Each structure stands twice: as structure tokens, then as C-alpha cells.
Amino acid sequence: MQLQLDEKTKENMQMLSKFKSLENTLNSYPIKKQSLEISNLEQDLINKKLKAQILEKELGYDYDTIQ
């Protein structure tokens, strides 16, 4: 009887450990999502800066051509 109780206790502790691990994983998803959103915004800013440089060169080229 004591052996069965010990086995059930051990099983319960393992299940509790798995539960805590899953809970921690679920709680970390918003942080990962925020990090990805920040990375996307940073990349978007880089892309817009590059597009602005391209437009400046095109406008500069057109301006020099007119003169």
C-alpha cells in the first residue's frame, strides 16, 4: 500500500513539473511575439530609409539632368 502511495506521489510530482514547464512556456509567448514585432518594425524602418535614399538619388539625378 505504501509503495503504491509513493508511486502516485512521484507521478503527481512529475505531472506538476510538466504543468509548470508548460505554464512557463505559455507565459513566454507574448515576450517572443513582442520581440518579433520589434524586429519587424526595425526592419521596416531600415527598408524605408533605403527607399528614401533611392528616392533622393533619383531626384538628385533628375535635378542634375535638368540643369
Side-chain angles (χ1 to χ4, degrees):
M1 181 77 166
Q2 183 63 33
L3 182 61
Q4 288 176 337
L5 185 58
D6 289 344
E7 287 177 10
K8 289 297 180 186
T9 301
K10 183 179 176 181
E11 187 179 323
N12 284 342
M13 294 301 288
Q14 289 173 342
M15 295 299 286
L16 181 61
S17 177
K18 286 181 184 180
F19 172 78
K20 289 289 185 184
S21 175
L22 287 172
E23 184 177 41
N24 290 338
T25 301
L26 288 174
N27 288 337
S28 70
Y29 281 128
I31 293 169
K32 288 180 184 177
K33 183 180 177 186
Q34 285 178 342
S35 295
L36 288 173
E37 287 174 349
I38 290 170
S39 294
N40 286 340
L41 289 171
E42 288 172 341
Q43 187 61 50
D44 190 42
L45 180 60
I46 291 168
N47 290 341
K48 287 182 179 181
K49 285 181 180 180
L50 289 173
K51 286 180 183 178
Q53 287 177 348
I54 290 169
L55 286 173
E56 287 174 355
K57 286 182 180 180
E58 287 176 357
L59 290 173
Y61 178 75
D62 290 339
Y63 180 76
D64 290 338
T65 304
I66 293 171
Q67 291 181 345

